[in-house]
Amino acid sequence: PMFHNNMVYKGYRLTASVSRVAIGNARRPAFTATVAVELAGDRDRLGEPHAVPLFDAGGFVATPGMAVDAAITHGRLMVDSHSRAD
């Protein structure tokens, strides 16, 4: 199942999309997420998902909520670095 969570940060909508992943023979669940970043006023919701470095490097977390937190945190860093670049 996909879990969705989003927030608006500095005028951008950050949307985390969580995926459950299988980790080897581990019996416990593991999750990763991506984050889409778009202007909050955009109605088309076509923000492209961005990889989160933690998960891109093969990392994972134990709960969907932790995956959302990691993705949203990365989205906020992306917004901060983008707004500094302007």
Side-chain angles (χ1 to χ4, degrees), residues 33-36 48-57 71 74-75 78:
T34 58
V35 62
E48 293 201 10
H50 294 275
V52 175
L54 166 68
F55 304 132
D56 214 29
H74 180 60
M78 289 176 60

Side-chain angles (χ1 to χ4, degrees), residues 9-12 14 37 72-86:
Y9 177 71
K10 295 187 179 178
Y12 289 85
L14 311 179
V37 180
I72 294 294
T73 297
H74 180 60
R76 289 168 66 147
L77 291 171
M78 289 176 60
V79 169
D80 287 342
S81 62
H82 178 71
S83 52
R84 276 200 305 270
D86 288 343

Side-chain angles (χ1 to χ4, degrees), residues 1 4 8 23-24 31 40-41 44 47 56-57 59 69-70 76 78-79:
H4 291 281
V8 174
I23 305 297
F31 300 88
D44 52 12
D56 214 29
D69 287 347
R76 289 168 66 147
M78 289 176 60
V79 169

Side-chain angles (χ1 to χ4, degrees), residues 10-50:
K10 295 187 179 178
Y12 289 85
R13 181 178 306 281
L14 311 179
T15 304
S17 297
V18 177
S19 299
R20 185 172 178 153
V21 294
I23 305 297
N25 295 329
R27 295 185 186 280
R28 64 190 148 207
F31 300 88
T32 66
T34 58
V35 62
V37 180
E38 60 210 329
L39 286 170
D42 283 358
R43 292 279 177 256
D44 52 12
R45 305 296 292 275
L46 292 178
E48 293 201 10
H50 294 275

